[in-house]
Amino acid sequence: MSSSFSIVAAIILVTICVLGNSKAQLSSTFYTTTCPNVTSVVRGVVEQAQQNDIRIGAKLIQVHFHDCFVNGCDGSIMLDNADGIESEKDAVPNQSTDGYDQLLLKYWFLRMEAQRGKFNWEEETVGQPNQSGTTAIPSPFENLEKITKKFSDVGLDSTDLVALSGAHTFGRARCLTFVHRLYNFSGTGNPDPTIDTTYLETLRQICPNGGNGGTLADLDQSTRDEFDSNYFTNLQNKRGLLQTDQELFSTSGDTVAIVNRFANSQSDFFDSFGQSMINMGNIRPLTGSDGEIRSDCKRVN
Ligand code: HEM
Ligand SMILES: *[C@@H]1O[C@H](CO)[C@@H](O)[C@H](O)[C@H]1NC(C)=O
Ligand SMILES: *[C@@H]1O[C@H](CO)[C@@H](O)[C@H](O)[C@H]1NC(C)=O
Ligand SMILES: *[C@@H]1O[C@H](CO)[C@@H](O)[C@H](O)[C@H]1NC(C)=O
Ligand SMILES: *[C@@H]1O[C@H](CO)[C@@H](O)[C@H](O)[C@H]1NC(C)=O
């Protein structure tokens, strides 16, 4: 676990360094003087949270992804419903599996912990929520063409798509997000032909036809809590869980070669994943006076 943990902590750190910024342009060394040990602070918080929840890294990365795809990574996902505020948390796609408020508090905590640690970290810009904008988040029922379009709409290319989908190397998904593949795929009366038959049987045990929509399955059935490149090997073996995972390999196009490359080299995957997380973190960032520093993270000032 420790190596996979370091990667998660590093990712979240990069996220914070890139995000928690207003008066300067985005920079990964922004906190060198104002918050020199932000690394250890973040690592400590996530490590502690992980004692009680092995999925905390997965959950945080997914929240960050959803935040970023709606008007950029501005923390707007944190906001509750209020006068004139329609929370993104309540919008379709509501993909939270449990305790969303708790999780969001941790997300915020990561971004605020340095201030609690008596550092002068007052610069934090946040944007307005945009519930209708949540349609920009990719859905597990869309085909590769639509997913690719949603990524390119926010300036991310095929390499970003494949690398970031590699976050499905850990975490869980509910049956309702993939059961359409198991019995009557696209009205054919048959399962999705791109699922390995043994894996299909396993998934059918977990998700009976028409039942158990909320039951969880592992996104990476080979090493469910490890951050590694097995996700890509799974795709080569027709063992991708979501339709949108398997299509990266089973639909012909430029993503196939990228899947093969990451399956062959974990370090290639890690390098690309880090770069693509930065690319995603750079989607329409708020700088200067474009946002506001909230006094309560769940409400606008
Ligand atoms: C390519 C388009 C994507 C689609 C269609 C998609 C869809 C999904 C779905 C349906 C789930 C299960 C949610 C549930 O059952 O509640 C899920 C989980 C997850 N997603 Fe994605 N996702 C995509 C891309 C990403 C990206 C870019 C990241 C982050 C870089 C990410 C990180 C995660 C993680 C870590 C989980 C597991 C969360 C947990 O265990 O609670 N996904 N995704
Ligand atoms: C931050 O660094 C200082 C100096 O190294 C140390 O005394 C302090 O305990 C650190 N704070 C945290 C929360 O790690
Ligand atoms: C979204 O999911 C959470 C957690 O399962 C649930 O409490 C909430 O009611 C859901 N919201 C909508 C609009 O479905
Ligand atoms: C909300 O998001 C949609 C889709 O991304 C965008 O077209 C719209 O301008 C956004 N609205 C606001 C108020 O930011
Ligand atoms: C599969 O779905 C199609 C279209 O929804 C439906 O017409 C058909 O009866 C279904 N087949 C089975 C075996 O359920």
Side-chain angles (χ1 to χ4, degrees), residues 55 58-59 61-62 65 95 97 138-140 147 151 161 164-165 167-168 170-174 177 219 242 244:
R55 272 165 65 199
K59 290 176 178 178
I61 290 181
Q62 194 195 21
F65 160 54
Q95 297 184 340
T97 50
S139 139
I147 297 288
F151 271 68
L161 168 59
L164 292 172
S165 293
H168 292 170
F170 60 1
R172 316 280 184 267
R174 289 167 296 174
T177 63
L219 278 158
L242 305 179
T244 47

Side-chain angles (χ1 to χ4, degrees), residues 100-156:
Y100 217 52
D101 267 9
Q102 285 295 314
L103 175 59
L104 290 171
L105 281 172
K106 288 199 181 98
Y107 181 57
W108 189 252
F109 187 66
L110 285 174
R111 296 174 59 168
M112 294 304 284
E113 179 61 15
Q115 195 173 25
R116 284 173 196 256
K118 301 185 207 69
F119 298 104
N120 182 14
W121 198 17
E122 56 191 345
E123 294 152 320
E124 181 80 46
T125 59
V126 293
Q128 296 288 323
N130 185 344
Q131 190 170 111
S132 63
T134 56
T135 53
I137 297 173
S139 139
F141 311 110
E142 289 172 321
N143 64 22
L144 182 58
E145 194 185 345
K146 285 201 178 128
I147 297 288
T148 303
K149 170 84 167 56
K150 285 188 170 178
F151 271 68
S152 72
D153 283 349
V154 293
L156 299 176

Side-chain angles (χ1 to χ4, degrees), residues 10-26:
I11 290 157
I12 290 166
L13 174 63
V14 165
T15 297
I16 290 173
C17 289
V18 173
L19 290 180
N21 170 358
S22 69
K23 298 211 170 94
Q25 288 308 301
L26 299 184

